[in-house]
Amino acid sequence: MGADGNLTDLVNLFDRQAIFKALAILVAAWIANYAAQRTLTAIARKASGSRRFYILASVSLIRLIIIVAAVVLIIPIMMEPSFENLVAFLGAAGVALGFAFKDYISSLIAGIVTLFEMPFRPGDWIEIGGHYGEVRRIGMRTAEIATPDDDLVVIPHSKIWNTLIVNSNGGTRNLMCVADFYLKPGHDGRRVKEILYDTALTSVFLQHQKPMTVTAAEKPFGTHYRLKAYPNDPRDQFKFTTDLTLRAKQALADDGFELSSIDFAIGEDR
């Protein structure tokens, strides 16, 4: 049997009744999808609390059920129920699904690699793809991080193939924080270093077991100081940096030091 004969056996292209039934099922599925979305959305607007989110989440599930049901009904209409046609259909469907889910499969494989290599763990603070936050959950396909702005970012594991991952604490409670200070030239650098050290030592967030460092670099606008220290808990990093910045700034001003213009400082660092 030729290729034309196989194609005719596989799909009843010339069976007008079959085509009409398939189109009727498609129209009915579209109407059901539209009605379900409109109805459930209207119900969700009147609901409150967690029920509203459950109703909205069910919209996609119901639409998927309707689509699958339509496909299941259409296939027997358009295809001769023979073993050869079933094999041909499953082969074509397998190829289509392979292309459709290649990114999903890539993420699953990357998830397995992540479990073995452990580039990050729950509780780590990482930056990936421009997003920085605490790892809350590691699934088989995705990882979830909570940003400082309390946004939940879902990152596919496939990102590890071609994206740099910055891990700030590497599975420990040791996360370095840096506070920057820009001072005008012509001052006593040793005194500035003492003030910055004292500021860090008197912070309620300081982890005393880890070293503190003060670095200085001359810039055209003045001197750039960096105070580096570790908080007791990585989750306190923003409170710690804020505490260091505000108290050191006040201590420097009380001692007569003049801060450099932040516009020039930022422009120079860029």
Side-chain angles (χ1 to χ4, degrees):
M1 185 180 290
D4 293 338
N6 289 331
L7 184 61
T8 304
D9 290 337
L10 181 62
V11 180
N12 296 325
L13 293 178
F14 302 104
D15 191 339
R16 296 182 179 180
Q17 186 176 5
I19 294 175
F20 177 78
K21 289 180 180 179
L23 289 176
I25 292 173
L26 288 175
V27 172
W30 182 86
I31 294 174
N33 263 324
Y34 180 79
Q37 182 174 2
R38 291 293 299 269
T39 303
L40 291 175
T41 302
I43 295 174
R45 291 196 190 102
K46 299 179 180 179
S48 60
S50 59
R51 288 182 298 176
R52 174 174 177 271
F53 296 103
Y54 287 127
I55 295 172
L56 290 174
S58 67
V59 174
S60 298
L61 178 60
I62 292 176
R63 294 181 66 185
L64 177 61
I65 293 174
I66 294 172
I67 293 173
V68 172
V71 172
V72 170
L73 291 174
I74 290 174
I75 289 175
I77 296 175
M78 301 299 296
M79 179 185 297
E80 292 291 341
S82 65
F83 177 77
E84 292 79 4
N85 290 342
L86 180 61
V87 172
F89 173 77
L90 291 178
V95 173
L97 289 174
F99 280 106
F101 289 97
K102 60 181 174 52
D103 291 334
Y104 186 88
I105 296 172
S106 176
S107 293
L108 287 177
I109 296 173
I112 297 173
V113 174
T114 299
L115 292 177
F116 280 97
E117 294 188 353
M118 298 185 71
F120 50 82
R121 308 163 182 81
D124 284 356
W125 285 82
I126 67 171
E127 181 176 356
I128 178 171
H131 300 286
Y132 177 73
E134 181 184 12
V135 179
R136 292 289 179 84
R137 176 181 172 273
I138 300 178
M140 287 300 299
R141 190 183 68 86
T142 62
E144 297 177 358
I145 66 173
T147 70
D149 295 326
D150 202 26
D151 294 327
L152 187 65
V153 180
V154 180
I155 301 174
H157 287 310
S158 58
K159 286 284 187 181
I160 70 173
W161 299 134
N162 52 17
T163 304
L164 295 177
I165 301 174
V166 180
N167 194 326
S168 297
N169 60 315
T172 69
R173 68 186 185 99
N174 303 320
L175 187 151
M176 178 184 287
C177 293
V178 181
D180 295 285
F181 303 92
Y182 306 90
L183 272 65
K184 292 183 177 180
H187 58 264
D188 185 356
R190 288 177 298 181
R191 177 56 184 157
V192 173
K193 188 174 181 179
E194 291 176 1
I195 292 175
L196 296 181
Y197 262 114
D198 290 342
T199 301
L201 282 172
T202 54
S203 175
V204 296
F205 303 104
L206 178 67
Q207 183 185 157
H208 291 272
Q209 293 81 5
K210 299 294 292 183
M212 296 180 298
T213 307
V214 175
T215 63
E218 286 300 317
K219 304 288 184 178
F221 56 81
T223 307
H224 177 197
Y225 290 91
R226 307 191 80 198
L227 172 57
K228 304 178 181 179
Y230 294 81
N232 279 311
D233 192 300
R235 290 173 293 184
D236 293 330
Q237 58 184 287
F238 304 104
K239 296 178 182 178
F240 184 45
T241 304
T242 301
D243 178 60
L244 294 179
T245 301
L246 296 181
R247 291 195 302 110
K249 182 179 178 180
Q250 184 61 51
L252 291 169
D254 293 342
D255 225 65
F257 293 99
E258 294 184 75
L259 297 178
S260 180
S261 171
I262 191 64
D263 293 332
F264 290 110
I266 294 177
E268 178 62 26
D269 278 354
R270 288 177 181 171

